[in-house]
């Protein structure tokens, strides 16, 4: 459950860490407003920015290209795949683009570098689960470039942060730090556990890997394993479970 306090904390953290919104700017809702794009409407309306809903009510490179010609200081929320589609299809320049806040999927280093080369330092990465929306951690645009002689652990530790407490579905208040615990050197506890996990090919094989990854109520794990070249995903890199189920029922994982 999101309380007014959650949304106020998100708004203040967004203005302080993610996007210092101001009048005359434009928030383009190229992603679903029921998700992150809609949540960012709150701090932007509070600051006097103008919300823009594309005529297609979705993401289209050509439509965004046209909007950027007429909407100064534009910004929007997007999944990494949407960012790369814009990089590959943008016909105009990015002079009216203020920033793109990206999340919801992996941004590969090579893709990030290509986007920075094409769009400049306009990328902001965030992480935020439903109960602490959009502002648990943030990598600002200026911090996408790290000095070669700067220690990585110290650099990460100085940039990890989050919003105030939330009231999750479990009934009690908790802090964002419980969702992404960190060690003193700044590295993610989850990343350390993942590195220690037994991967396929090691002792325990696929069954051991699945047992570690699955929630307790789903154990002891899958009864069978099906291998395919890739999972069916939508533009936001979410797995299309209905299509995957249909493939499995048809006996073709690809």
């Amino acid at each position: 459950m999101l309380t007014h306090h959650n949304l106020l904390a998100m708004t203040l953290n967004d203005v302080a860490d993610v996007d210092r919104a101001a009048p005359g700017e434009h928030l383009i809702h190229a992603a679903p407003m029921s998700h992150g794009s809609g949540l960012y409407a709150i701090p932007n309306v509070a600051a006097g920015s103008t919300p823009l809903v594309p005529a297609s009510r979705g993401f289209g490179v050509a439509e965004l290209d046209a909007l950027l010609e007429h909407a100064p200081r534009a910004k929007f929320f997007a999944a990494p795949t949407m960012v790369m589609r814009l990089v590959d299809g943008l016909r105009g320049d990015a002079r009216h683009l203020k920033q793109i806040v990206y999340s919801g999927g992996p941004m590969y280093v090579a893709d990030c570098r290509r986007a920075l080369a094409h769009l400049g330092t306009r990328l902001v990465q965030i992480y935020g689960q439903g109960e602490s929306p959009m502002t648990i951690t943030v990598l600002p645009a200026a911090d996408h470039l790290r000095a070669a002689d700067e220690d990585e652990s110290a650099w990460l530790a100085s940039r990890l942060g989050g919003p105030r407490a939330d009231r999750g579905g479990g009934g009690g208040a908790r802090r964002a730090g419980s969702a992404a615990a960190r060690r003193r050197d700044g590295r993610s506890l989850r990343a350390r556990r993942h590195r220690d996990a037994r991967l396929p090919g090691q002792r325990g094989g696929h069954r051991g890997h699945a047992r570690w990854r699955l929630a307790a109520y789903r154990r002891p794990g899958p009864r069978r394993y099906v291998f395919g070249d890739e999972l069916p995903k939508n533009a936001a890199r979410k797995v299309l479970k209905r299509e995957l189920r249909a493939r499995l029922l048809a006996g073709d994982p690809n």
Side-chain angles (χ1 to χ4, degrees):
M1 177 181 69
L2 287 176
T3 67
H4 287 91
H5 185 80
N6 295 147
L7 297 176
L8 175 60
M10 178 198 72
T11 298
L12 296 176
N13 278 276
D14 179 74
V15 174
D17 299 328
V18 181
D19 172 34
R20 200 164 287 182
E25 297 180 351
H26 296 81
L27 176 66
I28 302 175
H29 292 290
M33 294 179 68
S34 58
H35 197 245
S37 186
L39 282 166
Y40 277 138
I42 300 174
N44 276 276
V45 169
S49 299
T50 303
L52 289 178
V53 179
S56 66
R57 299 185 180 182
F59 177 82
V61 174
E63 189 173 29
L64 269 177
D65 211 347
L67 281 174
L68 289 176
E69 288 295 317
H70 304 285
R73 304 282 291 168
K75 62 268 189 93
F76 59 91
F77 172 78
T81 50
M82 298 163 67
V83 176
M84 298 317 298
R85 283 176 58 190
L86 184 66
V87 169
D88 292 333
L90 189 65
R91 293 292 176 262
D93 56 46
R95 70 182 187 277
H96 286 167
L97 180 64
K98 178 186 178 183
Q99 70 178 23
I100 300 174
V101 179
Y102 68 93
S103 185
M107 171 66 89
Y108 300 107
V109 174
D111 288 344
C112 188
R113 286 174 174 166
R114 191 156 63 89
L116 288 170
H118 194 82
L119 302 173
T121 52
R122 293 180 169 90
L123 299 181
V124 177
Q125 185 183 48
I126 62 98
Y127 167 76
Q129 64 180 17
E131 297 87 359
S132 297
M134 310 310 289
T135 50
I136 290 181
T137 61
V138 56
L139 184 67
D143 290 341
H144 270 67
L145 303 176
R146 176 173 60 90
D149 59 348
E150 190 173 0
D151 178 74
E152 181 181 10
S153 294
W155 182 81
L156 284 172
S158 68
R159 286 157 175 81
L160 289 172
R164 299 175 62 94
D166 63 74
R167 296 193 175 273
R174 61 177 179 170
R175 292 194 174 275
S178 66
R182 299 187 299 277
R183 301 187 320 203
R184 289 190 178 185
D185 62 2
R187 293 184 181 275
S188 167
L189 180 62
R190 185 176 298 171
R192 179 175 65 83
R193 290 182 60 195
H194 181 70
R195 187 169 62 249
D196 293 341
R198 299 191 184 280
L199 299 177
Q202 297 177 315
R203 185 179 179 181
H206 300 287
R207 188 174 297 276
H209 179 64
R211 188 177 295 115
W212 179 84
R213 294 287 294 178
L214 290 174
Y217 73 92
R218 296 194 176 205
R219 295 169 186 164
R223 291 188 293 270
R224 67 188 181 101
Y225 297 87
V226 179
F227 298 91
D229 295 331
E230 60 181 358
L231 292 172
K233 298 179 181 179
N234 61 17
R237 302 293 291 172
K238 305 295 184 182
V239 175
L240 299 172
K241 296 181 180 179
R242 186 175 298 177
E243 183 177 335
L244 180 62
R245 187 179 298 112
R247 290 185 186 183
L248 292 174
L249 291 175
D252 180 15
N254 297 308

